[in-house]
Amino acid sequence: ILNVEQSPQSLHVQEGDSTNFTCSFPSSNFYALHWYRWETAKSPEALFVMTLNGDEKKKGRISATLNTKEGYSYLYIKGSQPEDSATYLCALPPETSGSRLTFGEGTQLTVNP
Amino acid sequence: EAGVAQSPRYKIIEKRQSVAFWCNPISGHATLYWYQQILGQGPKLLIQFQNNGVVDDSQLPKDRFSAERLKGVDSTLKIQPAKLEDSAVYLCASSSLTSGSDTQYFGPGTRLTVL
């Protein structure tokens, strides 16, 4: 069973703060890592798919990095806004083959105005 | 492009009752997934379809859960009879391929409460 861990479990920041959270996974047989943002009462939204060690991806104020050798990915949000409040999930497919995703428990971000 | 549609959005039932959820994936997506997300946990795959065939149902509690994808498009997930521990959000997702790096697109989910 693939073990995907996310930290912290929850985070409260002030508007304008920059923040980051972590997704940890087994470093052996890595294939890909997905980041999703899930706002309450909405569909989970795909942010990034990362596949290569050293990958860096950016979407507006959100960016992510990947280190497959040590088994972690960081998600950064620069200048947090209240609309960034959501649960951020990372997920990985199986180490061997297939596309089913194993999700971490998520980081719940609250940005206070 | 229309996203993944799910209905109903919310459902409240008594334990031992039956319930069914419906999903319409993005047009042309061959792969369809049903995930269960219990409060405080990450989503967990229940079943994966490729067209109208089952690819993975290893985590589906088959004594009470069933799913079908007739004609390889829409899908329904049924629980019969429901238990208290089935209270969760049921998410449907679709993707065009079955690669682990292919993006899965999610619907808004059905929030089920079992009393």
Side-chain angles (χ1 to χ4, degrees):
Chain A
I1 295 176
L2 194 57
N3 188 31
V4 181
E5 295 184 350
Q6 291 189 247
S7 63
Q9 201 168 38
S10 66
L11 199 52
H12 292 253
V13 302
Q14 291 298 122
E15 183 175 354
D17 288 349
S18 293
T19 187
N20 66 87
F21 14 95
T22 306
C23 174
S24 301
F25 52 87
S27 56
S28 58
N29 297 321
F30 174 86
Y31 188 81
L33 183 145
H34 299 246
W35 279 105
Y36 284 88
R37 174 172 62 196
W38 192 3
E39 294 178 64
T40 303
K42 294 187 177 179
S43 305
E45 173 196 359
L47 291 174
F48 308 113
V49 180
M50 310 183 79
T51 56
L52 298 175
N53 184 46
D55 246 358
E56 290 188 30
K57 300 229 172 175
K58 189 174 181 181
K59 184 177 182 178
R61 294 178 291 98
I62 303 176
S63 60
T65 61
L66 178 66
N67 184 324
T68 62
K69 296 187 186 307
E70 296 184 32
Y72 64 84
S73 175
Y74 292 142
L75 190 79
Y76 301 91
I77 303 178
K78 183 178 178 182
S80 303
Q81 300 296 308
E83 58 264 31
D84 296 328
S85 296
T87 296
Y88 291 82
L89 294 161
C90 74
L92 284 86
E95 296 164 329
T96 50
S97 63
S99 57
R100 58 181 288 172
L101 294 178
T102 297
F103 283 83
E105 293 185 347
T107 293
Q108 188 171 5
L109 175 67
T110 304
V111 183
N112 299 309
Chain B
E1 179 182 80
V4 177
Q6 289 189 248
S7 68
R9 291 293 309 274
Y10 304 92
K11 189 75 177 179
I12 301 174
I13 61 173
E14 301 276 337
K15 62 183 178 184
R16 291 188 287 273
Q17 285 186 322
S18 302
V19 65
F21 314 127
W22 173 81
C23 173
N24 182 246
I26 291 173
S27 177
H29 279 191
T31 310
L32 185 147
Y33 311 81
W34 283 101
Y35 288 88
Q36 178 194 56
Q37 192 259 335
I38 293 173
L39 188 65
Q41 301 178 18
K44 181 186 82 172
L45 182 78
L46 291 175
I47 190 166
Q48 176 185 347
F49 292 94
Q50 175 74 11
N51 297 308
N52 60 353
V54 175
V55 174
D56 185 343
D57 64 356
S58 58
Q59 296 190 100
L60 187 73
K62 298 180 186 63
D63 57 335
R64 297 183 300 106
F65 286 65
S66 64
E68 60 183 11
R69 192 184 182 197
L70 299 175
K71 302 181 183 178
V73 181
D74 294 9
S75 177
T76 56
L77 177 70
K78 296 179 182 177
I79 307 175
Q80 182 180 7
K83 292 185 175 182
L84 296 176
E85 59 261 35
D86 298 331
S87 294
V89 176
Y90 291 84
L91 292 164
C92 178
S94 70
S95 64
S96 55
L97 301 171
T98 57
S99 161
S101 59
D102 194 36
T103 296
Q104 295 182 22
Y105 296 89
F106 284 83
T110 296
R111 182 175 294 277
L112 174 68
T113 301
V114 182
L115 303 176

